[in-house]
Amino acid sequence: MDSATQNLQHRMSVKLWPPSQSTRLMLVERMTKNFITPSFISRKYGLLSKEEAEEDAKKIEEVAFAAANQHYEKQPDGDGSSAVQIYAKESSRLMLEVLKRGPRIQEDEEVAVTADKDAATPVNVFDISGGRRAFISGEEAGEVLKPLKVPGNSYTRICFSNRSFGLEAAHVAEPILLSIKDQLTEVDLSDFVAGRPESEALEVMNIFSSALEGCNLRYLNLSNNALGEKGVRAFGKLLKTQNNLEELYLINDGISEEAARAVCELIPSTEKLKVLHFHNNMTGDEGAVAIAEMVKRSTVLEDFRCSSTRVGLEGGVALAEALGSCNHLRKLDLRDNMFGVEAAIALSKSLSAFADLTEVYLSYLNLEDEGAEALANALKECAPSLEVLDMAGNDITAKGASSLAACIAAKQFITKLNLAENELKDEGTILIAKAIEVGCGQLNEVDLNTNAIRRAGARLLAQAVVEKPGFKSLNINGNYISDEGIDEVKDIFKGLPNVLENLDENDPDGEDLDEDAKEDDEDADNEDGLESKLKDLEIKHEE
């Protein structure tokens, strides 16, 4: 069970499945945003329109929910954590398919324009990943891969994802790949042996690896293949000949300590690597140390993801120190590991190199106040163009909120702030609200759910974000806001429907009615008391 799930269980002791309607809608909104936001993938395959993005996001959520719900009904595990994992993984997998598919052609006029362009520019993308996930027979492979056999074809990018190749289909593909490997620059073999016995899957990988040996790739995706060390080494011939990779994806591949070492051993050079993703693996500390050696050599790295990889203190420190050499980093995602305070402090020392950082995801890392303060203080002094700050689920209290507030106020381009599932209470929330009030002109999404917030904090936060042009989403669900406080917040957003997220899990009676909490409620009716909580906050844009 991942640490995010454990954290939520510990605090709320409620079933995680099924998700609330607001949670499902939030997932749709976030997927939609991902589809319309420029990224490395969109530069290759194109951005979706907002309408198409919303349609695809809704379909993905429905399919993912159905798969997870079916699992839960067949194998209920009490709290529903395994269903949540399936929901997340299936959503992620389907999102990647849509991103790789790119925008659909919508109108006849577009078809005509595309036809004209195709006449002048040869088609270079060959993609069989559309449709249902399914096995592919040898006969079907011969038919489907026919375009790759046409003499003089100009395909440089191939995607075999979502179709499961057995030995028969692999043998059909082998000579075809041999004939075009010298022209290939991008290969996607993610999820291409699903459901096959291990021995057959490894042999298929060996066949593809041998056929593609020596090709000069800039992009390689081997995700969702349960590789492990055996699988990594099955791709050894291909990996050993890759000196110019710019993007490498090894997501959900069972990358253990041994597999991580194999990856580092086999890939001869990462000098040009810009994107490196290890997500949802079993890497652990020793594996992270191996990955850190690769990161240290990837000096032009722009996008690094090592989330949900079971990395603890030792591995966290190794990764943090290695990242210090990556001064081009734009996106950093280390979510859902067990770093702890010492690793957070090590990372804070490397942050000074990240002048171009725009997105940082540090949720569920056991940061606590000390780690959060170190990171916030470092971020305040660097990353002037930061757009996303995520430190959810780190046991941050009002003590750590002061440094966070100073950092937030200094980030004029921040669009998304996630501090959910911490212990900010009213005192910390008021500090964050004040920071938002004086800065954050581009802010459009704030999540402070499950922070033991009461009436005063909720009202001040609502007042701060409602003034931001184009603000889209405030989530303060799962808190202890009184009925009167809820009415006040709803009144603040009465002219902005759908901005305030569902409050169905708010508990107006609260669970920690201590003296501080009672004082917070009294402060809701006392502006002098409320302002007194702000007196120690100093927000400076420059030293």
Side-chain angles (χ1 to χ4, degrees):
M1 187 186 302
D2 61 32
S3 61
T5 301
Q6 289 175 331
N7 201 17
L8 189 59
Q9 280 184 299
H10 174 70
R11 294 182 182 185
M12 300 188 68
S13 299
V14 297
K15 283 186 177 293
L16 300 176
W17 192 264
S20 66
Q21 187 62 28
S22 63
T23 299
R24 296 182 65 183
L25 290 173
M26 184 180 297
L27 177 61
V28 171
E29 291 172 3
R30 289 176 177 172
M31 287 192 291
T32 300
K33 184 177 179 180
N34 280 330
F35 288 148
I36 63 176
T37 301
S39 66
F40 292 103
I41 295 178
S42 71
R43 284 202 287 272
K44 292 185 293 183
Y45 300 105
L47 273 178
L48 276 63
S49 68
K50 185 176 181 181
E51 294 74 18
E52 186 176 357
E54 289 176 345
E55 179 184 349
D56 283 325
K58 289 176 182 176
K59 289 179 180 177
I60 288 172
E61 192 281 330
E62 289 172 359
V63 171
F65 178 84
N69 202 50
Q70 184 179 30
H71 167 85
Y72 183 69
E73 289 176 351
K74 289 182 178 180
Q75 302 177 29
D77 59 353
D79 64 353
S81 59
S82 62
V84 171
Q85 291 175 350
I86 290 172
Y87 186 50
K89 288 179 183 178
E90 191 68 5
S91 297
S92 178
R93 184 183 70 80
L94 293 172
M95 275 185 66
L96 187 59
E97 287 183 8
V98 170
L99 287 167
K100 292 292 184 62
R101 183 206 69 208
R104 295 189 186 92
I105 296 171
Q106 301 271 337
E107 306 291 342
D108 291 342
E109 292 84 354
E110 289 177 299
V111 174
V113 170
T114 302
D116 290 340
K117 287 183 178 178
D118 287 346
T121 306
V123 175
N124 66 351
V125 180
F126 181 80
D127 187 348
I128 62 171
S129 64
R132 287 183 174 275
R133 187 184 189 194
F135 281 24
I136 182 169
S137 65
E139 182 180 355
E140 185 184 1
E143 187 65 30
V144 169
L145 301 181
K146 265 185 180 179
L148 295 177
K149 298 169 66 175
V150 176
N153 75 75
S154 300
Y155 291 115
T156 60
R157 299 182 283 179
I158 60 171
C159 178
F160 289 0
S161 179
N162 205 40
R163 304 301 298 274
S164 180
F165 282 75
L167 283 175
E168 187 181 356
H171 285 304
V172 171
E174 183 177 16
I176 298 174
L177 292 175
L178 280 167
S179 70
I180 64 169
K181 71 176 183 179
D182 290 339
Q183 68 196 51
L184 294 177
T185 61
E186 300 182 19
V187 169
D188 186 342
L189 297 178
S190 59
D191 195 24
F192 88 121
V193 289
R196 304 289 180 178
E198 181 183 288
S199 57
E200 182 180 17
L202 290 172
E203 193 168 347
V204 169
M205 292 175 191
N206 271 300
I207 291 170
F208 274 75
S209 177
S210 297
L212 293 169
E213 180 182 6
C215 60
N216 186 18
L217 301 181
R218 61 162 299 277
Y219 172 101
L220 178 61
N221 191 344
L222 301 177
S223 300
N224 299 307
N225 284 313
L227 295 177
E229 183 186 9
K230 291 179 182 178
V232 171
R233 295 198 180 280
F235 276 112
K237 290 182 178 180
L238 170 61
L239 294 174
K240 284 180 179 179
T241 56
Q242 300 312 305
N243 288 290
N244 297 304
L245 276 178
E246 295 179 19
E247 299 184 40
L248 176 62
Y249 299 86
L250 295 167
I251 297 170
N252 192 30
D253 268 333
I255 301 296
S256 60
E257 171 190 337
E258 295 78 9
R261 287 176 176 168
V263 171
C264 298
E265 168 197 327
L266 292 169
I267 297 178
S269 174
T270 57
E271 291 181 358
K272 296 183 179 180
L273 198 64
K274 295 181 179 179
V275 182
L276 178 59
H277 281 199
F278 285 90
H279 166 66
N280 197 34
N281 286 299
M282 55 182 76
T283 311
D285 278 347
E286 293 302 319
V289 170
I291 293 171
E293 289 302 312
M294 178 185 285
V295 170
K296 195 180 298 183
R297 300 193 302 268
S298 307
T299 55
V300 297
L301 196 64
E302 296 180 3
D303 181 349
F304 179 58
R305 184 179 189 188
C306 192
S307 50
S308 301
T309 48
R310 307 183 187 180
V311 177
L313 172 58
E314 181 185 354
V317 170
L319 286 173
E321 293 176 348
L323 285 166
S325 63
C326 304
N327 55 13
H328 296 283
L329 203 67
R330 298 175 60 84
K331 183 176 179 180
L332 176 63
D333 187 346
L334 300 172
R335 283 176 286 190
D336 190 21
N337 284 298
M338 299 168 283
F339 278 25
V341 173
E342 189 175 334
I345 292 173
L347 180 60
S348 72
K349 295 175 181 177
S350 294
L351 283 176
S352 59
F354 305 160
D356 298 325
L357 194 65
T358 59
E359 298 180 33
V360 58
Y361 300 90
L362 303 172
S363 54
Y364 306 104
L365 290 176
N366 299 326
L367 299 180
E368 301 180 4
D369 283 333
E370 186 178 355
E373 287 171 343
L375 289 165
N377 291 335
L379 282 169
K380 179 175 177 286
E381 303 303 325
C382 68
S385 300
L386 191 68
E387 297 174 9
V388 177
L389 177 59
D390 181 351
M391 287 192 182
N394 279 303
D395 295 316
I396 304 171
T397 71
K399 179 179 181 294
S402 181
S403 295
L404 273 174
C407 172
I408 292 163
K411 304 304 174 188
Q412 294 304 303
F413 297 101
I414 193 166
T415 61
K416 178 180 177 180
L417 175 64
N418 184 5
L419 298 174
E421 295 181 46
N422 283 300
E423 299 288 347
L424 295 177
K425 298 189 176 181
D426 267 13
E427 184 178 356
T429 302
I430 291 167
L431 294 174
I432 301 301
K434 188 66 176 178
I436 291 172
E437 183 182 0
V438 302
C440 309
Q442 307 295 319
L443 191 65
N444 59 49
E445 185 176 342
V446 172
D447 191 342
L448 263 73
N449 83 76
T450 319
N451 265 286
I453 301 171
R454 294 181 177 275
R455 182 180 178 183
R459 186 178 69 181
L460 263 290
L461 183 61
Q463 289 172 339
V465 301
V466 77
E467 299 298 328
K468 303 300 173 184
F471 191 81
K472 297 177 182 177
S473 173
L474 173 64
N475 185 358
I476 50 174
N477 202 6
N479 285 300
Y480 305 148
I481 309 167
S482 66
D483 292 335
E484 294 82 2
I486 293 294
D487 290 339
E488 287 177 346
V489 171
K490 287 183 176 179
D491 188 60
I492 290 169
F493 288 102
K494 63 182 178 182
L496 295 170
N498 304 319
V499 169
L500 182 64
E501 297 295 332
N502 202 312
L503 293 165
D504 57 342
E505 294 177 4
N506 179 68
D507 180 4
D509 297 324
E511 293 183 8
D512 60 348
L513 287 168
D514 55 20
E515 290 304 314
D516 289 339
K518 292 176 182 177
E519 288 176 9
D520 284 344
D521 275 341
E522 292 171 3
D523 286 345
D525 297 313
N526 185 338
E527 290 299 329
D528 292 335
L530 186 59
E531 289 300 320
S532 71
K533 289 187 176 291
L534 307 178
K535 69 178 186 298
D536 295 326
L537 174 63
E538 294 183 6
I539 299 171
K540 300 177 182 179
H541 295 282
E542 297 181 19
E543 287 298 320

